Amino acid sequence: VEHLAEALDQARLFAEALQAKIVTTEAQLAQMAAKAAKVRGALRAQAVTLFVTGGRAATLQAMTQTRPSDMVITQAYLSRTFASEQDSLDQMRSIGRQLKDQRATLDSARRQAVDALAKVRADRQAAAGAEAAQLAILGRLQGELGTLVAVEQQRLAAIDAARVQAELAARLASSAASRSRSTPPALGQPGGGPLGPVPAPNGGAAAAVAAAQAQLGKPYVYGGAGPGSFDCSGLTMWAWRAGGVSLSHGATAQYFSTAHVPVAQAQPGDLVFWGSGSYMYHEGLYVGGGQMIEAEHSGTVVHYASIYRSGLYPLVGRP
């Protein structure tokens, strides 16, 4: 469900970007059409003038009957008139080509927008199906069995957190030892530091944490962005809006719009991500002490959780 929810968010962002492109292209088409109408009017006026005066042949014939002293002036005037006609024709051809290109761009953008919206619908249906299946399983775990499972999950989570913290500490120690012999590890990777100074925490971090805490207990809904329900990136987007930072609704987009810092230097208000270097499928808002606030999956509510998970190393972004 996490992956499907992120796919839904990315498809929605892509569709919004295409819609903006369509609006821009339509405005450019309108400008080109107005310019074409103006040039077309000039050509029409020139054509009427030529018809009324008998065309170029009659004009040239009149030149031959002109006194030699006036011929140079007349010839210069005619050259400028004919050049103006040619310029108008060339301009009209150029505008025609530009209009054709703009229409092709617009048609392509519209086709892509249709495809993107179809993907949004498909991702929403897939997520709904996965959510329904998950809720069915959760329904069978109600009552005494659900309580026992929750207790066991908490016990295993604590063991996993301790193990991951030990593994991460070992990786940090190994990374620190290797930095004196080689280049620093990749930006944002476990144990890695930024290629420059770590940025100071954002001044709105406290407000973002407070806003996230105010959402505790509200249900997870894929695509949710408040105020009644949230998905993972919808929660962090909502929280940081209170901190004065505008984030996109998508974990991957948020990861690439933040400064990447080592996990060991995470501060309250930072965003904690899980995924690969180019795709994030889940995130939470760090509150300190190895804890975060997250909207995890269907059937859960916004809650506190450890940032340490078995086999998964968090990446940290600072808005």
Side-chain angles (χ1 to χ4, degrees):
V1 172
E2 289 173 345
H3 285 277
L4 289 168
E6 176 61 16
L8 174 61
D9 290 337
Q10 288 198 9
R12 184 189 294 110
L13 288 173
F14 182 58
E16 290 173 356
L18 283 172
Q19 187 57 43
K21 181 180 179 181
I22 288 172
V23 171
T24 300
T25 305
E26 286 178 336
Q28 292 173 344
L29 268 174
Q31 292 176 356
M32 293 298 299
K35 186 176 181 181
K38 183 177 180 180
V39 175
R40 192 178 295 111
L43 281 171
R44 186 178 294 111
Q46 290 171 356
V48 170
T49 300
L50 286 174
F51 178 80
V52 171
T53 59
R56 295 186 182 184
T59 305
L60 292 172
Q61 182 180 7
M63 273 186 64
T64 62
Q65 300 171 357
T66 304
R67 292 179 302 170
S69 60
D70 298 331
M71 189 171 293
V72 174
I73 298 174
T74 306
Q75 187 175 10
Y77 172 78
L78 288 172
S79 295
R80 291 184 62 182
T81 301
F82 296 157
S84 176
E85 292 178 25
Q86 188 61 48
D87 287 345
S88 295
L89 287 169
D90 292 342
Q91 191 176 11
M92 193 65 197
R93 293 190 187 97
S94 176
I95 290 173
R97 287 192 295 269
Q98 292 178 55
L99 279 171
K100 182 179 179 181
D101 292 342
Q102 291 284 1
R103 289 194 179 101
T105 299
L106 181 60
D107 290 342
S108 175
R110 282 174 172 159
R111 286 193 299 271
Q112 291 180 44
V114 169
D115 293 341
L117 291 173
K119 178 172 173 52
V120 169
R121 287 191 292 270
D123 287 338
R124 183 179 291 115
Q125 291 171 355
E131 182 184 43
Q134 189 176 59
L135 289 174
I137 295 172
L138 289 172
R140 294 197 296 270
L141 296 178
Q142 297 302 314
E144 183 180 353
L145 178 58
T147 302
L148 294 173
V149 168
V151 171
E152 179 64 8
Q153 286 178 334
Q154 290 175 0
R155 186 183 73 82
L156 292 175
I159 294 173
D160 284 341
R163 182 171 63 251
V164 171
Q165 284 179 291
E167 292 175 357
L168 186 56
R171 290 170 68 104
L172 286 168
S174 174
S175 174
S178 66
R179 272 198 290 268
S180 61
R181 303 189 302 270
S182 61
T183 57
L187 181 66
Q189 294 301 315
L195 300 181
V198 175
N202 189 298
V209 171
Q213 290 172 330
Q215 312 314 313
L216 289 168
K218 293 184 178 180
Y220 173 98
V221 173
Y222 64 88
S229 61
F230 298 90
D231 65 8
C232 64
S233 59
L235 174 65
T236 53
M237 180 177 70
W238 177 278
W240 266 106
R241 186 182 299 148
V245 176
S246 177
L247 296 173
S248 298
H249 190 177
T252 302
Q254 290 185 22
Y255 178 71
F256 286 106
S257 67
T258 55
H260 304 159
V261 302
V263 176
Q265 298 185 42
Q267 295 293 320
D270 288 348
L271 303 179
V272 186
F273 298 90
W274 285 266
S276 64
S278 60
Y279 174 79
M280 302 297 150
Y281 61 86
H282 185 56
E283 65 175 309
L285 185 83
Y286 188 64
V287 295
Q291 296 291 305
M292 65 178 176
I293 297 175
E294 66 172 351
E296 190 173 9
H297 56 67
S298 298
T300 66
V301 296
V302 176
H303 61 274
Y304 288 103
S306 170
I307 67 170
Y308 302 107
R309 300 182 175 188
S310 180
L312 299 174
Y313 295 93
L315 304 177
V316 178
R318 181 163 295 168

